[in-house]
């Protein structure tokens, strides 16, 4: 099977359902950003040494493929997809993971600047890409209805990635960099 089809050589691509749209179409930008998030999480998973974190991120990657598939599908063709959509249990699972990680972390007293270690920075970049994906999905939702659980999932995932960045800093014994605004002079 050849990887190139040449069908996109004029700047269009097909949605699942057959409609051709420009490659800059809002749906394409949206599922493309989810794909970028998935790739970023793959990198994060590869640089993390904790197997529990790796396993959870791999599960999230699978769910992001579901989200990307749903976003790439024409609204009236979603019933033809043979995949289970995001469920409330998926969001609750992320919440439980956040709560579990938070139990061993010191209370936050300031905003935290990204950085301190390449793995922590990679996690923060993943969080930022997740927030961008969430913004894209909410923009798409203004044009056509998007399952609200997808929006909730991405919102919770970005929260998880923030808490994970703090947990990674703790595991790597890296001091968190607190943001201390400069006082006016």
């Amino acid at each position: 099977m050849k990887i190139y089809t040449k069908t996109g050589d004029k700047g269009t691509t097909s949605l699942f359902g057959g409609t051709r749209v420009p490659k800059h179409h809002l749906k394409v930008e949206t599922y493309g950003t989810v794909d970028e998030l998935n790739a970023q999480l793959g990198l994060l998973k590869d640089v993390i040494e904790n197997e529990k974190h790796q396993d959870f991120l791999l599960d999230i990657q699978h769910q992001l493929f579901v989200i990307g598939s749903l976003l790439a599908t024409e609204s009236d063709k979603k019933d033809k997809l043979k995949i289970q959509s995001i469920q409330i249990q998926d969001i609750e699972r992320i919440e439980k993971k956040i709560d579990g990680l938070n139990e061993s972390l010191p209370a936050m007293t300031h905003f935290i600047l990204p950085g301190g270690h390449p793995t922590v920075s990679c996690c923060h970049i993943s969080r930022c890409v997740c927030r961008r994906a969430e913004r894209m999905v909410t923009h798409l939702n203004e044009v056509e209805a998007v399952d609200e659980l997808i929006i909730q999932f991405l919102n919770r995932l970005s929260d998880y990635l923030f808490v994970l960045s703090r947990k990674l800093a703790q595991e790597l014994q890296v001091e968190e960099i607190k943001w201390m605004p400069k006082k006016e002079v």
Side-chain angles (χ1 to χ4, degrees):
M1 173 181 185
K2 288 187 177 185
I3 193 68
Y4 56 91
T5 62
K6 300 182 182 182
T7 58
D9 287 353
K10 295 190 178 179
T12 64
T13 191
S14 289
L15 300 175
F16 181 77
T19 301
R20 293 206 63 84
V21 296
K23 289 188 177 187
H24 63 270
H25 189 277
L26 180 57
K27 280 183 83 71
V28 179
E29 287 284 347
T30 303
Y31 72 71
T33 304
V34 171
D35 186 40
E36 181 184 352
L37 170 60
N38 206 333
Q40 186 64 46
L41 289 181
L43 176 61
L44 177 60
K45 182 176 55 69
D46 290 346
V47 299
I48 290 177
E49 295 182 11
N50 182 313
E51 199 171 304
K52 288 181 183 179
H53 298 323
Q54 290 172 338
D55 291 345
F56 189 73
L57 288 170
L58 181 61
D59 289 344
I60 294 296
Q61 286 186 283
H62 282 282
Q63 291 176 304
L64 288 175
F65 250 85
V66 168
I67 290 171
S69 298
L70 291 166
L71 295 172
T73 302
E74 296 175 42
S75 297
D76 61 341
K77 306 279 194 248
K78 294 207 190 292
D79 59 329
K80 295 192 187 287
L81 280 178
K82 303 290 186 217
I83 57 175
Q84 182 174 347
S85 189
I86 298 299
Q87 305 293 309
I88 191 69
Q89 296 88 344
D90 300 320
I91 297 162
E92 291 169 346
R93 185 167 168 250
I94 296 173
E95 290 171 348
K96 286 179 186 171
K97 191 61 91 168
I98 292 170
D99 293 342
L101 294 176
N102 244 341
E103 287 176 2
S104 64
L105 295 173
M108 274 188 52
T109 57
H110 295 81
F111 286 108
I112 297 169
L113 295 176
H117 188 279
T119 301
V120 175
S121 295
C122 187
C123 193
H124 278 288
I125 292 168
S126 297
R127 174 186 54 81
C128 292
V129 174
C130 186
R131 284 289 185 208
R132 182 159 33 92
E134 180 185 9
R135 290 190 303 270
M136 293 298 302
V137 169
T138 59
H139 185 190
L140 179 61
N141 191 47
E142 291 178 354
V143 177
E144 67 177 59
V146 174
D147 183 345
E148 68 181 31
L149 292 178
I150 290 174
I151 298 169
Q152 291 173 22
F153 182 91
L154 292 171
N155 186 32
R156 214 66 81 247
L157 179 57
S158 64
D159 293 337
Y160 164 75
L161 291 167
F162 176 74
V163 174
L164 179 61
S165 72
R166 295 193 69 216
K167 183 64 176 175
L168 292 170
Q170 183 185 61
E171 290 173 357
L172 294 164
Q173 300 177 344
V174 174
E175 185 176 344
E176 291 181 322
I177 307 164
K178 295 176 181 163
W179 176 62
M180 307 293 265
K182 293 183 180 180
K183 297 183 183 202
E184 290 186 45
V185 282

